[in-house]
Structures are given as C-alpha cells and as structure tokens.
C-alpha cells in the first residue's frame, strides 16, 4: 500500500450483540469488526440505497398517478432493502428469509404486471393464483432445503422471465403498433386525406415514438449493465473471498471497504432494479397510448430516471433519454 495513503489497521473481531449466527449463509465480509450491533457493517449500510430508491419510487407513483401495481412493487422493493439490512446486521435465519423471500415476492409482482396487461379479468385472476402458488411453493421448499443456491436460481429464472417478457411486449406489441400507425399516416398523406396541420402532428408523433423506443433501450442497457456488473462482482467476491480478506487486512481501513464485493452487489443491483421498475412504469403508459401525458425525466445518464406527468417536467425527453431544458 502507498505510504502516502493514510489507513488504520482492522480492529480485532468482536462478539455479536445478536448472539450466534443462525443464517444458512455467511458472506465474505468479516463479522463484527466495526461494532457489536452489526455483523456485516458494509453489507448492512449499503442497503440504505435500496430504501432511498424505494422511497423515490413510491413518491413518484403517488405524485404522478402511476398504476397501483408499480406502487406495490416499490413497496416490495423497500421490503427487500429493509430485510437485507436486518439480515446483514444480525445474520439471523428469520431475517435471511425476509431478505431473500421478499426478492421472490417482488419479482412475482412485476411478473403479474408484465403478463396481466391487456388480458381478461379471468386470465389476470388465474395468473395471480398461479404466482401466489409459485411463491408459496418456493417459500416452503426453500425453508425445507435451506439451500441458498435454490433461492438464487429461482430468483434468477423469475427475473430473466420478467425481463425478456417486457422486452417482447415492447418490441412486438408497442413497436409494431407504432409502425402500423406510421404506415397509415403515410398512406393518408399520399392520398391527400389529411390536412397539412394533421400531417405535421402525425409526423411529430412518429418522431416522438421513435425517440421513446430509443430511450427505452438506453434505459434497459444502462440498468442491465449495472445489474450484471453487480452480479459479476458478487461472483468474484464469493470465489476469491480468502484473497480479498487478506488484501483488506493489508491495505487497512477505510480502503478495505472498497473490496467488499457484496456491498457493491447491493449498490449496483439496487440501482439496476430501480431502472427496471421505472422502465416498466413508462412502458405501461406508452402501451396505454399516454405518451403525451407522461415524459421521461433523465437529465444525465449518471442520474436517476423518473417518469413524470408531461406538465411537471422541464422538457420532453430526447432520443438519449436526457431531458431538454426550456428556453
């Protein structure tokens, strides 16, 4: 470690205020080196980002009137962050279940939002019953196995299904409908059945929809890249734990905190999940034909996106999803 970089050595490990570890998994961060009240201090505190983003999402849903399913999803997202906070603080099995099962339940909510759209009430009811049954099965079977790999695989499959289905809806439900409308517009213009003012409005709508789809793919790319980056770091943290612990001890505090891979997993997957739910909100409004009522507010690529009522944004989103300021 460079001599000019100040650091302090890791303190000796302490006993836990919460008693012995009862969780079925213990992560790479050393336990209780900072305080007796938190077993894994970095893994605990990084969940504050989950809570912050959840409150942003809940506030946005209430302020701008997004569909209730997304409000419930952000509440589930808050439960994930809270459960993970309590789990890493105590390393108790009940808190582990709150953390891991809330991930399953929230993903099931997003699955319902994705697959129930524009379906009959009977289909939506059957879908809800099926997802509830699936969630109950995963809960009971996971409690029986107590194998974290089962939970990780179940969560991964559910997440992939929801993400791929949402992409399918966007490309094969939204984009074809836009292309069809554009063809109708061009036919009408060629036949002279629309006025010059109508032609101008139709052309403007076509360009708006093209920009929206481009912005959606940019959002997906950003959110998925952040999420998968967190997954890669999480994997390395598991595979090279002994080396990472040795390196942390060598470089000391606070720099050793930067090598806490599970903490980076929280920060990056939390951000990626926020991107996904926000994209789901926007996709739902577009599928409902409300592109003129809602807009993407995303001032910079390094900022957090939000879907707002068109009258409450400082400008319409351009092709890369960055809001333009009024002049």
């Amino acid at each position: 470690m460079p001599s000019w970089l100040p650091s302090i050595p890791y303190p000796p490990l302490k006993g836990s205020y919460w008693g012995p570890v009862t969780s079925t998994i213990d992560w790479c961060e050393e336990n209780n080196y900072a305080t007796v009240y938190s077993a894994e201090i970095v893994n605990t505190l990084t969940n504050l980002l989950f809570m912050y983003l959840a409150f942003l999402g809940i506030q946005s849903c209430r302020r701008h009137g997004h569909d209730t399913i997304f409000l419930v999803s952000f509440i589930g997202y808050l439960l994930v962050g809270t459960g993970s906070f309590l789990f890493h603080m105590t390393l108790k099995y009940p808190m582990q279940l709150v953390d891991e099962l809330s991930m399953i339940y929230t993903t099931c909510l997003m699955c319902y939002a994705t697959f129930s759209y524009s379906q009959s009430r009977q289909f939506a009811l059957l879908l809800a019953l099926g997802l509830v049954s699936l969630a109950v099965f995963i809960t009971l079977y996971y409690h029986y196995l107590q194998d974290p790999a089962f939970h990780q695989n179940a969560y991964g499959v559910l997440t992939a299904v929801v993400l791929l289905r949402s992409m399918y809806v966007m490309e094969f439900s939204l984009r074809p409908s836009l292309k069809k409308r554009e063809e109708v517009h061009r036919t009408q213009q060629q036949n002279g059945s629309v006025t010059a003012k109508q032609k101008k409005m139709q052309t403007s709508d076509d360009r708006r929809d093209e920009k929206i789809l481009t912005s959606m793919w940019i959002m997906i790319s950003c959110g998925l890249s952040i999420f998968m980056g967190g997954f890669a770091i999480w994997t390395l943290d598991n595979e090279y734990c002994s080396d990472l612990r040795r390196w942390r001890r060598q470089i000391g505090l606070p720099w050793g905190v930067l090598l806490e891979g599970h903490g980076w997993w929280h920060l990056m997957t939390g951000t990626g999940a926020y991107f996904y739910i926000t994209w789901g909100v926007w996709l739902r409004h577009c599928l409902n034909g409300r592109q003129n009522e809602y807009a993407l507010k995303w001032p910079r690529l390094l900022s957090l996106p939000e879907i707002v009522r068109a009258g409450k944004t400082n400008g319409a989103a351009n092709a890369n999803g960055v809001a333009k300021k009024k002049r």
Side-chain angles (χ1 to χ4, degrees):
M1 178 178 174
S3 58
W4 51 266
L5 204 56
S7 66
I8 59 175
Y10 272 74
L13 303 183
K14 306 174 179 62
S16 174
Y17 174 81
W18 309 104
V21 172
T22 60
S23 62
T24 61
I25 190 168
D26 193 354
W27 301 104
C28 188
E29 183 177 7
E30 295 186 59
N31 296 345
N32 298 107
Y33 64 87
T35 172
V36 298
Y37 298 106
S38 179
E40 300 172 343
I41 187 66
V42 175
N43 292 348
T44 299
L45 295 180
T46 48
N47 282 291
L48 293 176
L49 179 67
F50 265 91
M51 300 179 193
Y52 171 70
L53 295 180
F55 279 119
L56 287 185
I58 292 170
Q59 187 180 40
S60 179
C61 287
R62 297 183 62 185
R63 179 187 298 134
H64 301 293
H66 304 318
D67 286 6
T68 303
I69 187 64
F70 296 106
L71 174 62
V72 177
S73 295
F74 273 118
I75 293 174
Y77 179 82
L78 175 61
L79 182 60
V80 171
T82 304
S84 184
F85 184 96
L86 295 174
F87 167 44
H88 290 290
M89 182 175 69
T90 64
L91 289 181
K92 292 296 185 180
Y93 180 65
M95 294 301 101
Q96 179 184 352
L97 292 180
V98 174
D99 172 21
E100 295 178 331
L101 293 178
S102 60
M103 295 167 64
I104 298 294
Y105 303 154
T106 302
T107 308
C108 285
L109 284 173
M110 291 304 299
C111 190
Y112 177 82
T114 302
F115 282 89
S116 66
Y117 175 76
S118 75
Q119 301 294 334
S120 65
R121 181 173 297 182
Q122 182 180 9
F123 178 88
L125 179 59
L126 291 175
L127 176 64
L129 291 174
L131 289 172
V132 169
S133 300
L134 177 62
V136 171
F137 167 75
I138 292 175
T139 299
L140 296 178
Y141 195 59
Y142 180 47
H143 180 62
Y144 168 75
L145 285 181
Q146 297 193 0
D147 182 4
F150 170 75
H151 164 265
Q152 293 159 9
N153 291 332
Y155 174 70
V157 170
L158 279 172
T159 300
V161 167
V162 174
L163 182 63
L164 293 174
R165 171 62 181 179
S166 297
M167 291 179 178
Y168 174 87
V169 169
M170 184 178 71
E171 280 297 317
F172 294 95
S173 295
L174 182 59
R175 190 183 293 272
S177 66
L178 296 178
K179 287 183 177 180
K180 181 179 179 180
R181 189 164 62 247
E182 290 168 1
E183 292 172 0
V184 172
H185 292 170
R186 283 194 292 270
T187 301
Q188 290 176 337
Q189 291 173 8
Q190 292 172 359
N191 296 336
S193 58
V194 294
T195 65
K197 183 177 180 180
Q198 289 174 326
K199 290 180 181 179
K200 184 176 181 180
M201 292 178 61
Q202 290 169 356
T203 301
S204 176
D205 287 348
D206 293 343
R207 291 175 178 172
R208 173 206 63 193
D209 294 335
E210 289 176 359
K211 290 181 179 180
I212 286 176
L213 286 166
T214 301
S215 298
M216 282 186 174
W217 275 114
I218 292 175
M219 277 189 69
I220 295 170
S221 299
C222 288
L224 190 58
S225 297
I226 295 170
F227 189 97
M228 294 307 296
F231 178 78
I233 293 174
W234 176 80
T235 302
L236 293 173
D237 190 64
N238 291 335
E239 291 294 326
Y240 300 100
C241 179
S242 58
D243 293 327
L244 288 169
R245 286 186 173 183
R246 186 178 70 255
W247 295 339
R248 289 178 204 139
R249 290 280 175 175
Q250 289 174 353
I251 64 176
L253 292 169
W255 316 109
V257 168
L258 299 177
L259 296 180
E260 296 291 355
H262 198 81
W264 286 109
W265 154 262
H266 288 161
L267 297 176
M268 298 176 75
T269 56
T271 303
Y274 173 86
F275 268 70
Y276 170 71
I277 300 176
T278 302
W279 167 50
V281 170
W282 196 19
L283 179 59
R284 176 64 64 90
H285 286 312
C286 291
L287 291 174
N288 288 334
R290 305 181 71 181
Q291 294 97 317
N292 289 328
E293 299 177 42
Y294 289 90
L296 171 65
K297 182 180 178 183
W298 197 9
R300 297 172 302 278
L301 287 177
L302 296 180
S303 63
L304 294 170
E306 182 186 11
I307 308 305
V308 301
R309 289 190 181 275
K312 295 185 179 182
T313 183
N314 291 329
N318 65 16
N320 66 359
V322 180
K324 296 179 180 177
K325 294 182 179 178
K326 287 183 177 180
R327 297 184 179 179

